[in-house]
Amino acid sequence: MSSPSPSAPLAEPGTEAAAHAFIAKWRQAGGSELANAQSFVIELCELLGVERPAPAVADAADNAYAFERGITFQHPDGHTSAGRIDLYRRGCFVLESKKVKLGPATKGFDDALMKARTQAEAYARALPASEGRPPFVVVVDVGHVIELYAEFTRSGGVYTAFPDARNHRIPLERLAEPAVRARLRQLWLEPMALDPSRRSAQVTREVAAKLAQLARDLEGEGHGAERVAAFLTRCLFSMFAEDVGLLPQAASGAGAFVHLLRTHAAEPDTLRQMLRLLWTDMDRGGFSGALAKPVLRFNGKLFKGSAQDDYVLPLTKRVIQGLLAAAQSDWRHVEPAIIGTLLERALDPAERHALGAHYTPRAYVERLVLPTVVEPLRADWADAEAAALLLATEAEALDGKKREDKLAEARAQIRRFHHQLCTTRVLDPACGSGNFLYVTLEHLKRLEGEVLDRLDALGDTQGKLGLEGETVTPRQLLGIEINERAAALAELVLWIGYLQWHLRTLGSTSVAEPVIHDYGNIEHRDAVLAYDGMEPLRDAAGALVTRWDGKTFKTHPATGEPVPDEAAQVAQWRYLNPRPAVWPEAEFIVGNPPFIGNKRMREALGDGYVEALRGAWQDVPDTADFVVYWWDRSARLVRDLRTRRFGLITTNSIKQTFNRKVLSKHLEARPPLRLLFAIPDHPWVDGSNGAAVRIAMTVGALDVQVGEHVSVTTEETGAFGEVETRLAIRKGLIHSDLAVGADVASARKLAANAGICYQGFVLVGEGFILSAEDALRLEEIAPSEAIAVRPWKNGRDLSQGSRGHSVVDLFPLDQDGARSRFPFLYQHLADRVKPFRDQVARRAHRERWWIWGEARPGLRRAVAGQHRVVVTNFAAKHRYFVFESPRTALDHNMYVIATEDAWLLGTLSSVCHLEWMLRAGSTLGKC
């Protein structure tokens, strides 16, 4: 549901004079919370030019914007209790008011506001699922401060200080600032617009588009894609460094990089040498001859290798103008959470076509990062902070050394947690260009800001630290990535995000040298398979094993249609000493492993790799999808107490039978893994090609019993093509089918139903199918062969009416029998099926190319002699059952129930059975 519409036209925001009058009035406010809170909020609304809260009505669901909104708490033991929100605005915020009698500088004041925040968060989570979570909770101490906390994923995660831990508390006096009043007005009117990732999305897309054009231009001049990517990455970081003040300005006021581009735009060869000199100086630090000014020492590995000829590519005037255009973007506001994906597409010729496609919104990434990493750390912080505040409150009642000792204990509590935070490691074992790691890093830095603020309030100077001393750094964010370009971008994304955060909160004067480090935290290697080497695969006779490359075609001489070019072969490999890959130690694992189904693994990865992988991972069924190998390893690490939690994105087929076996193995083990968070079906964007897919999110741990089951209730297309979702949350034990409630996934098959239900036929070759025109031609040319042709239906034919297609069925004839009895059909298949079958991996399909891939002899026996059978299309959005002729061949998306009995058809069509099927089965798309 959207935020409520104004009941009357909005007033203009108050003037600066009105703000000063408001401040003067409420600074003197006394009395109780109840006496003043509502008056304060009403007058604040008038100052901001937003509507007043509406009068409350009896039905709480109708109180979309009202004081004293009633809610009901659902407790784990089943009982309920009532509560009231001081002020609620649907889709915007929960506001909790206090009138703290203690002064703002006291520990008791902080303790009171912390309790108010906790209470407001509890109210937000207790709201009905149909209303969704508001993006903000607001804490007001009447006459003193307003505190803002945001959770833009709206999935019930942790609300964090907004915009950061140093600026979330708005003293009353700051209402005199127009920018502060504008922020609060937007909180009332369009709170999601305050999400910084949304505001920077357009800048990031523009940056990626400009770099993509530069990459095309450079590649068009004959430079290899890898050399172009390395050069543009150095340019990119230089643009960022000058915009955030890490490079000195020229006398003209332009940044150092732009200054060089402009100064030498007419002399490309000179510019090439000046860039080489600049980057060499940035690597080592000190006085820069290119700028005639000192530069910081950046180090890392980004600017290494300056002696190589391709360190700076030869430049044309067109490329120089393109670099200047890219540098005009405000690199301070690029969004690291999405720039990694967009840059990967921009710099990769194979993926550049998807640059304009949808990207994965930051909120989606946070939806998994929060329950996996942030919530357990914030729970630890809440314990440490509460203990420290208790000690600090006790200290206020003491004097002298006893008081100092008690405060020292309080500081020690905070320092212990800070050390824990700074040594926490998070691993993404398929990190791509680093989006998950960056979002995690930002949340760790945000939490660290709160910790350092608390230390500062307790009289500790630790909060003054910059890059020196113990602090959260990219060193803690570990990644494994098989794509070398993506691995390099992941490091870049982490450092850009880290420096953005550092400069925004502490300023440029606090930056220590070297500015970046080569921590080696992103490993370029395979995450699931280790091996000692590779060698060409040979058959028993010693011949080299190859296969069709899957993309090169030629024109068939008889049909004129494109068929695989058998000359386009790629070698297959044998992997030496294959074994499961080892992952670095980490407290948390989070990420988005590759989406490759088990039936596509050979095509995507090669026969040799798949054989080595399945041989090395004996506990994972051969029928499991590729992503399941990551899930299995993560679950085992948690159960072995080597990892605290893991959270992974998988395709939503994770809850289907063959993948579910791996989940069940861990959920039923001793000690049992528990799913503390699951979204069974959620929109996503495949980072490799920009395609929309459906995914599942799962978070596993040992220390929980009751999990949060999240359902997507609505989906709407956002401003940049991303899908905005609304969620509903249900608590309970989450089973291997990612459902709560009855564990239907553990149900056993009935022996009485054995041998009655079969999947339809798998042709493995579209050439088997005949159109109505093809069938008429057969009747004219070879009428005696028509007995080998059957009606053919797929799901569309079943639901919308038959298109009149038929299919050639030569089962169970051998090759000689097929050729002699049906010569016309045999030649038809030789021209249209055999060229494709010759290239498939499965030997039986190559050798028996005239027979369907899955001819289902059991199904044929089961329907023999019957006049009709029951059929359903399991891939359809709606479940229905119909009678069909047993002579009709049905494709693999159909299931055939070999019975003529109308009573059984009625049973299958009943509401009871349909409910069971929807609960026991799974969906691969949005329903």
PDB file of all heavy atoms in Angstrom, residues 31 33 78 109 196 210 242 282 343 346 362 391 400 408 435 443 513 556 566 647 649 659-660 667 747 772 774 797 870:
ATOM      1  N   GLY A  31       7.339  19.719  31.008  1.00  0.00           N
ATOM      2  CA  GLY A  31       6.166  18.851  31.089  1.00  0.00           C
ATOM      3  C   GLY A  31       6.474  17.442  30.632  1.00  0.00           C
ATOM      4  O   GLY A  31       7.608  17.048  30.418  1.00  0.00           O
ATOM      5  N   GLU A  33       6.000  13.780  28.341  1.00  0.00           N
ATOM      6  CA  GLU A  33       5.953  13.325  26.951  1.00  0.00           C
ATOM      7  C   GLU A  33       4.538  13.405  26.413  1.00  0.00           C
ATOM      8  O   GLU A  33       4.280  13.916  25.319  1.00  0.00           O
ATOM      9  CB  GLU A  33       6.479  11.884  26.896  1.00  0.00           C
ATOM     10  CG  GLU A  33       6.234  11.191  25.561  1.00  0.00           C
ATOM     11  CD  GLU A  33       6.476   9.695  25.657  1.00  0.00           C
ATOM     12  OE1 GLU A  33       7.153   9.244  26.601  1.00  0.00           O
ATOM     13  OE2 GLU A  33       5.948   8.989  24.792  1.00  0.00           O
ATOM     14  N   GLY A  78       3.245 -18.015  21.138  1.00  0.00           N
ATOM     15  CA  GLY A  78       1.886 -18.026  20.627  1.00  0.00           C
ATOM     16  C   GLY A  78       0.972 -16.958  21.195  1.00  0.00           C
ATOM     17  O   GLY A  78      -0.068 -16.663  20.610  1.00  0.00           O
ATOM     18  N   PHE A 109      20.709   9.861  29.053  1.00  0.00           N
ATOM     19  CA  PHE A 109      20.010  10.379  27.877  1.00  0.00           C
ATOM     20  C   PHE A 109      20.195   9.427  26.692  1.00  0.00           C
ATOM     21  O   PHE A 109      19.235   9.046  26.006  1.00  0.00           O
ATOM     22  CB  PHE A 109      20.554  11.767  27.547  1.00  0.00           C
ATOM     23  CG  PHE A 109      19.924  12.398  26.330  1.00  0.00           C
ATOM     24  CD1 PHE A 109      18.714  13.061  26.420  1.00  0.00           C
ATOM     25  CD2 PHE A 109      20.558  12.332  25.089  1.00  0.00           C
ATOM     26  CE1 PHE A 109      18.135  13.650  25.298  1.00  0.00           C
ATOM     27  CE2 PHE A 109      19.989  12.917  23.979  1.00  0.00           C
ATOM     28  CZ  PHE A 109      18.774  13.575  24.081  1.00  0.00           C
ATOM     29  N   PRO A 196      20.304   6.747  -0.760  1.00  0.00           N
ATOM     30  CA  PRO A 196      21.415   7.301  -1.556  1.00  0.00           C
ATOM     31  C   PRO A 196      21.729   6.483  -2.790  1.00  0.00           C
ATOM     32  O   PRO A 196      22.201   7.023  -3.789  1.00  0.00           O
ATOM     33  CB  PRO A 196      22.591   7.311  -0.568  1.00  0.00           C
ATOM     34  CG  PRO A 196      22.214   6.332   0.492  1.00  0.00           C
ATOM     35  CD  PRO A 196      20.719   6.381   0.603  1.00  0.00           C
ATOM     36  N   LYS A 210      29.630   5.728 -20.786  1.00  0.00           N
ATOM     37  CA  LYS A 210      30.756   6.458 -21.375  1.00  0.00           C
ATOM     38  C   LYS A 210      31.996   5.568 -21.466  1.00  0.00           C
ATOM     39  O   LYS A 210      32.730   5.600 -22.472  1.00  0.00           O
ATOM     40  CB  LYS A 210      31.048   7.710 -20.549  1.00  0.00           C
ATOM     41  CG  LYS A 210      29.964   8.781 -20.667  1.00  0.00           C
ATOM     42  CD  LYS A 210      30.194   9.930 -19.701  1.00  0.00           C
ATOM     43  CE  LYS A 210      29.097  10.980 -19.797  1.00  0.00           C
ATOM     44  NZ  LYS A 210      29.268  12.067 -18.802  1.00  0.00           N
ATOM     45  N   GLU A 242      40.592  12.342  -8.333  1.00  0.00           N
ATOM     46  CA  GLU A 242      40.609  13.804  -8.413  1.00  0.00           C
ATOM     47  C   GLU A 242      39.287  14.407  -7.924  1.00  0.00           C
ATOM     48  O   GLU A 242      39.275  15.480  -7.319  1.00  0.00           O
ATOM     49  CB  GLU A 242      40.920  14.269  -9.837  1.00  0.00           C
ATOM     50  CG  GLU A 242      39.837  14.012 -10.858  1.00  0.00           C
ATOM     51  CD  GLU A 242      40.212  14.562 -12.228  1.00  0.00           C
ATOM     52  OE1 GLU A 242      41.339  15.083 -12.374  1.00  0.00           O
ATOM     53  OE2 GLU A 242      39.377  14.462 -13.155  1.00  0.00           O
ATOM     54  N   MET A 282      51.980   8.232  -8.764  1.00  0.00           N
ATOM     55  CA  MET A 282      50.915   7.838  -7.840  1.00  0.00           C
ATOM     56  C   MET A 282      51.252   6.510  -7.162  1.00  0.00           C
ATOM     57  O   MET A 282      50.897   6.293  -5.990  1.00  0.00           O
ATOM     58  CB  MET A 282      49.575   7.720  -8.578  1.00  0.00           C
ATOM     59  CG  MET A 282      48.994   9.059  -9.012  1.00  0.00           C
ATOM     60  SD  MET A 282      47.543   8.895 -10.079  1.00  0.00           S
ATOM     61  CE  MET A 282      46.358   8.193  -8.926  1.00  0.00           C
ATOM     62  N   LEU A 343      30.365  -1.837 -14.823  1.00  0.00           N
ATOM     63  CA  LEU A 343      31.704  -1.746 -15.400  1.00  0.00           C
ATOM     64  C   LEU A 343      32.120  -3.066 -16.031  1.00  0.00           C
ATOM     65  O   LEU A 343      32.780  -3.083 -17.077  1.00  0.00           O
ATOM     66  CB  LEU A 343      32.717  -1.334 -14.328  1.00  0.00           C
ATOM     67  CG  LEU A 343      32.658   0.120 -13.854  1.00  0.00           C
ATOM     68  CD1 LEU A 343      33.705   0.355 -12.785  1.00  0.00           C
ATOM     69  CD2 LEU A 343      32.858   1.072 -15.013  1.00  0.00           C
ATOM     70  N   ALA A 346      30.565  -3.047 -19.268  1.00  0.00           N
ATOM     71  CA  ALA A 346      31.136  -2.024 -20.135  1.00  0.00           C
ATOM     72  C   ALA A 346      32.494  -2.443 -20.698  1.00  0.00           C
ATOM     73  O   ALA A 346      32.828  -2.121 -21.846  1.00  0.00           O
ATOM     74  CB  ALA A 346      31.277  -0.713 -19.367  1.00  0.00           C
ATOM     75  N   ARG A 362      20.487  -2.350  -5.316  1.00  0.00           N
ATOM     76  CA  ARG A 362      21.211  -2.498  -4.062  1.00  0.00           C
ATOM     77  C   ARG A 362      20.334  -3.119  -2.978  1.00  0.00           C
ATOM     78  O   ARG A 362      20.805  -3.923  -2.168  1.00  0.00           O
ATOM     79  CB  ARG A 362      21.707  -1.121  -3.614  1.00  0.00           C
ATOM     80  CG  ARG A 362      22.396  -1.145  -2.249  1.00  0.00           C
ATOM     81  CD  ARG A 362      22.417   0.245  -1.639  1.00  0.00           C
ATOM     82  NE  ARG A 362      22.944   0.184  -0.300  1.00  0.00           N
ATOM     83  CZ  ARG A 362      24.201   0.481   0.021  1.00  0.00           C
ATOM     84  NH1 ARG A 362      25.047   0.836  -0.919  1.00  0.00           N
ATOM     85  NH2 ARG A 362      24.609   0.421   1.264  1.00  0.00           N
ATOM     86  N   LEU A 391      27.384   0.344  32.878  1.00  0.00           N
ATOM     87  CA  LEU A 391      28.574   0.699  33.640  1.00  0.00           C
ATOM     88  C   LEU A 391      28.753   2.222  33.705  1.00  0.00           C
ATOM     89  O   LEU A 391      29.115   2.776  34.750  1.00  0.00           O
ATOM     90  CB  LEU A 391      29.812   0.062  33.004  1.00  0.00           C
ATOM     91  CG  LEU A 391      29.914  -1.464  33.140  1.00  0.00           C
ATOM     92  CD1 LEU A 391      30.979  -2.008  32.199  1.00  0.00           C
ATOM     93  CD2 LEU A 391      30.232  -1.855  34.585  1.00  0.00           C
ATOM     94  N   GLY A 400      35.816  10.230  41.884  1.00  0.00           N
ATOM     95  CA  GLY A 400      37.238   9.929  41.940  1.00  0.00           C
ATOM     96  C   GLY A 400      37.639   8.717  41.148  1.00  0.00           C
ATOM     97  O   GLY A 400      37.147   8.453  40.049  1.00  0.00           O
ATOM     98  N   ALA A 408      36.325   3.164  32.726  1.00  0.00           N
ATOM     99  CA  ALA A 408      37.311   2.368  31.983  1.00  0.00           C
ATOM    100  C   ALA A 408      36.731   1.005  31.618  1.00  0.00           C
ATOM    101  O   ALA A 408      36.968   0.480  30.523  1.00  0.00           O
ATOM    102  CB  ALA A 408      38.586   2.209  32.802  1.00  0.00           C
ATOM    103  N   ASN A 435      29.917  -6.628  -5.651  1.00  0.00           N
ATOM    104  CA  ASN A 435      28.781  -5.875  -5.124  1.00  0.00           C
ATOM    105  C   ASN A 435      28.395  -6.305  -3.710  1.00  0.00           C
ATOM    106  O   ASN A 435      28.124  -5.466  -2.851  1.00  0.00           O
ATOM    107  CB  ASN A 435      27.579  -6.020  -6.059  1.00  0.00           C
ATOM    108  CG  ASN A 435      27.849  -5.423  -7.426  1.00  0.00           C
ATOM    109  OD1 ASN A 435      28.846  -4.739  -7.621  1.00  0.00           O
ATOM    110  ND2 ASN A 435      26.983  -5.698  -8.371  1.00  0.00           N
ATOM    111  N   HIS A 443      28.131  -1.517   5.505  1.00  0.00           N
ATOM    112  CA  HIS A 443      27.406  -1.745   6.753  1.00  0.00           C
ATOM    113  C   HIS A 443      28.373  -1.922   7.927  1.00  0.00           C
ATOM    114  O   HIS A 443      28.075  -1.493   9.049  1.00  0.00           O
ATOM    115  CB  HIS A 443      26.480  -2.949   6.620  1.00  0.00           C
ATOM    116  CG  HIS A 443      25.167  -2.615   5.980  1.00  0.00           C
ATOM    117  ND1 HIS A 443      24.129  -2.056   6.686  1.00  0.00           N
ATOM    118  CD2 HIS A 443      24.735  -2.725   4.705  1.00  0.00           C
ATOM    119  CE1 HIS A 443      23.104  -1.850   5.874  1.00  0.00           C
ATOM    120  NE2 HIS A 443      23.439  -2.248   4.664  1.00  0.00           N
ATOM    121  N   GLU A 513      48.875   7.109   4.114  1.00  0.00           N
ATOM    122  CA  GLU A 513      49.530   6.466   2.980  1.00  0.00           C
ATOM    123  C   GLU A 513      50.070   5.104   3.396  1.00  0.00           C
ATOM    124  O   GLU A 513      50.490   4.923   4.532  1.00  0.00           O
ATOM    125  CB  GLU A 513      50.667   7.346   2.473  1.00  0.00           C
ATOM    126  CG  GLU A 513      50.188   8.689   1.931  1.00  0.00           C
ATOM    127  CD  GLU A 513      51.345   9.544   1.426  1.00  0.00           C
ATOM    128  OE1 GLU A 513      51.938  10.262   2.256  1.00  0.00           O
ATOM    129  OE2 GLU A 513      51.657   9.460   0.226  1.00  0.00           O
ATOM    130  N   HIS A 556      22.899 -26.208 -44.385  1.00  0.00           N
ATOM    131  CA  HIS A 556      22.743 -27.598 -44.806  1.00  0.00           C
ATOM    132  C   HIS A 556      22.491 -27.643 -46.310  1.00  0.00           C
ATOM    133  O   HIS A 556      21.626 -26.903 -46.817  1.00  0.00           O
ATOM    134  CB  HIS A 556      21.588 -28.257 -44.052  1.00  0.00           C
ATOM    135  CG  HIS A 556      21.561 -29.745 -44.189  1.00  0.00           C
ATOM    136  ND1 HIS A 556      21.031 -30.370 -45.295  1.00  0.00           N
ATOM    137  CD2 HIS A 556      21.995 -30.738 -43.365  1.00  0.00           C
ATOM    138  CE1 HIS A 556      21.127 -31.685 -45.145  1.00  0.00           C
ATOM    139  NE2 HIS A 556      21.713 -31.931 -43.973  1.00  0.00           N
ATOM    140  N   GLU A 566      30.440 -29.009 -38.099  1.00  0.00           N
ATOM    141  CA  GLU A 566      31.214 -30.029 -37.395  1.00  0.00           C
ATOM    142  C   GLU A 566      32.705 -29.736 -37.385  1.00  0.00           C
ATOM    143  O   GLU A 566      33.468 -30.331 -36.602  1.00  0.00           O
ATOM    144  CB  GLU A 566      30.962 -31.414 -38.016  1.00  0.00           C
ATOM    145  CG  GLU A 566      31.503 -31.602 -39.414  1.00  0.00           C
ATOM    146  CD  GLU A 566      30.570 -31.047 -40.494  1.00  0.00           C
ATOM    147  OE1 GLU A 566      29.512 -30.493 -40.140  1.00  0.00           O
ATOM    148  OE2 GLU A 566      30.894 -31.186 -41.687  1.00  0.00           O
ATOM    149  N   GLY A 647      24.756 -16.955   3.743  1.00  0.00           N
ATOM    150  CA  GLY A 647      23.581 -16.544   2.985  1.00  0.00           C
ATOM    151  C   GLY A 647      23.907 -16.563   1.510  1.00  0.00           C
ATOM    152  O   GLY A 647      24.887 -15.949   1.074  1.00  0.00           O
ATOM    153  N   ILE A 649      22.437 -16.620  -2.720  1.00  0.00           N
ATOM    154  CA  ILE A 649      21.435 -16.527  -3.773  1.00  0.00           C
ATOM    155  C   ILE A 649      21.541 -17.801  -4.610  1.00  0.00           C
ATOM    156  O   ILE A 649      22.638 -18.194  -5.005  1.00  0.00           O
ATOM    157  CB  ILE A 649      21.703 -15.313  -4.683  1.00  0.00           C
ATOM    158  CG1 ILE A 649      21.748 -14.025  -3.878  1.00  0.00           C
ATOM    159  CG2 ILE A 649      20.669 -15.239  -5.794  1.00  0.00           C
ATOM    160  CD1 ILE A 649      20.448 -13.609  -3.282  1.00  0.00           C
ATOM    161  N   ASN A 659      17.774 -30.902  -6.005  1.00  0.00           N
ATOM    162  CA  ASN A 659      18.569 -29.973  -5.211  1.00  0.00           C
ATOM    163  C   ASN A 659      18.208 -30.058  -3.736  1.00  0.00           C
ATOM    164  O   ASN A 659      19.053 -29.886  -2.856  1.00  0.00           O
ATOM    165  CB  ASN A 659      18.364 -28.544  -5.709  1.00  0.00           C
ATOM    166  CG  ASN A 659      18.915 -28.332  -7.109  1.00  0.00           C
ATOM    167  OD1 ASN A 659      19.948 -28.889  -7.460  1.00  0.00           O
ATOM    168  ND2 ASN A 659      18.229 -27.533  -7.907  1.00  0.00           N
ATOM    169  N   ARG A 660      16.930 -30.330  -3.471  1.00  0.00           N
ATOM    170  CA  ARG A 660      16.438 -30.375  -2.092  1.00  0.00           C
ATOM    171  C   ARG A 660      17.101 -31.485  -1.291  1.00  0.00           C
ATOM    172  O   ARG A 660      17.176 -31.406  -0.059  1.00  0.00           O
ATOM    173  CB  ARG A 660      14.917 -30.565  -2.129  1.00  0.00           C
ATOM    174  CG  ARG A 660      14.210 -30.125  -0.882  1.00  0.00           C
ATOM    175  CD  ARG A 660      12.735 -29.934  -1.165  1.00  0.00           C
ATOM    176  NE  ARG A 660      12.059 -31.160  -1.536  1.00  0.00           N
ATOM    177  CZ  ARG A 660      10.923 -31.206  -2.227  1.00  0.00           C
ATOM    178  NH1 ARG A 660      10.359 -30.094  -2.648  1.00  0.00           N
ATOM    179  NH2 ARG A 660      10.354 -32.359  -2.514  1.00  0.00           N
ATOM    180  N   LEU A 667      19.783 -30.220   6.955  1.00  0.00           N
ATOM    181  CA  LEU A 667      18.738 -29.871   7.919  1.00  0.00           C
ATOM    182  C   LEU A 667      18.397 -31.035   8.835  1.00  0.00           C
ATOM    183  O   LEU A 667      17.884 -30.842   9.938  1.00  0.00           O
ATOM    184  CB  LEU A 667      17.475 -29.416   7.178  1.00  0.00           C
ATOM    185  CG  LEU A 667      17.609 -28.136   6.339  1.00  0.00           C
ATOM    186  CD1 LEU A 667      16.287 -27.800   5.672  1.00  0.00           C
ATOM    187  CD2 LEU A 667      18.072 -26.964   7.190  1.00  0.00           C
ATOM    188  N   ALA A 747       7.011 -35.977   2.893  1.00  0.00           N
ATOM    189  CA  ALA A 747       6.000 -36.990   2.577  1.00  0.00           C
ATOM    190  C   ALA A 747       6.602 -38.075   1.682  1.00  0.00           C
ATOM    191  O   ALA A 747       7.447 -37.805   0.825  1.00  0.00           O
ATOM    192  CB  ALA A 747       4.804 -36.345   1.891  1.00  0.00           C
ATOM    193  N   ALA A 772       1.752 -29.101 -40.151  1.00  0.00           N
ATOM    194  CA  ALA A 772       0.620 -29.664 -40.890  1.00  0.00           C
ATOM    195  C   ALA A 772       0.967 -29.790 -42.367  1.00  0.00           C
ATOM    196  O   ALA A 772       0.592 -30.778 -43.028  1.00  0.00           O
ATOM    197  CB  ALA A 772      -0.615 -28.788 -40.684  1.00  0.00           C
ATOM    198  N   ASP A 774       4.026 -30.239 -43.628  1.00  0.00           N
ATOM    199  CA  ASP A 774       4.963 -31.357 -43.768  1.00  0.00           C
ATOM    200  C   ASP A 774       4.224 -32.691 -43.775  1.00  0.00           C
ATOM    201  O   ASP A 774       4.559 -33.597 -44.549  1.00  0.00           O
ATOM    202  CB  ASP A 774       5.975 -31.350 -42.613  1.00  0.00           C
ATOM    203  CG  ASP A 774       6.923 -30.170 -42.668  1.00  0.00           C
ATOM    204  OD1 ASP A 774       7.154 -29.646 -43.777  1.00  0.00           O
ATOM    205  OD2 ASP A 774       7.424 -29.770 -41.602  1.00  0.00           O
ATOM    206  N   ASP A 797      -0.410 -26.165 -26.964  1.00  0.00           N
ATOM    207  CA  ASP A 797      -1.468 -26.898 -27.660  1.00  0.00           C
ATOM    208  C   ASP A 797      -2.546 -27.353 -26.696  1.00  0.00           C
ATOM    209  O   ASP A 797      -3.738 -27.346 -27.022  1.00  0.00           O
ATOM    210  CB  ASP A 797      -0.870 -28.118 -28.373  1.00  0.00           C
ATOM    211  CG  ASP A 797       0.119 -27.742 -29.448  1.00  0.00           C
ATOM    212  OD1 ASP A 797      -0.176 -26.831 -30.231  1.00  0.00           O
ATOM    213  OD2 ASP A 797       1.204 -28.347 -29.491  1.00  0.00           O
ATOM    214  N   VAL A 870      -5.046 -39.255 -18.552  1.00  0.00           N
ATOM    215  CA  VAL A 870      -5.115 -37.930 -17.930  1.00  0.00           C
ATOM    216  C   VAL A 870      -3.778 -37.218 -18.133  1.00  0.00           C
ATOM    217  O   VAL A 870      -2.714 -37.821 -17.955  1.00  0.00           O
ATOM    218  CB  VAL A 870      -5.449 -38.049 -16.428  1.00  0.00           C
ATOM    219  CG1 VAL A 870      -5.437 -36.666 -15.769  1.00  0.00           C
ATOM    220  CG2 VAL A 870      -6.797 -38.719 -16.234  1.00  0.00           C
TER     221      VAL A 870
END
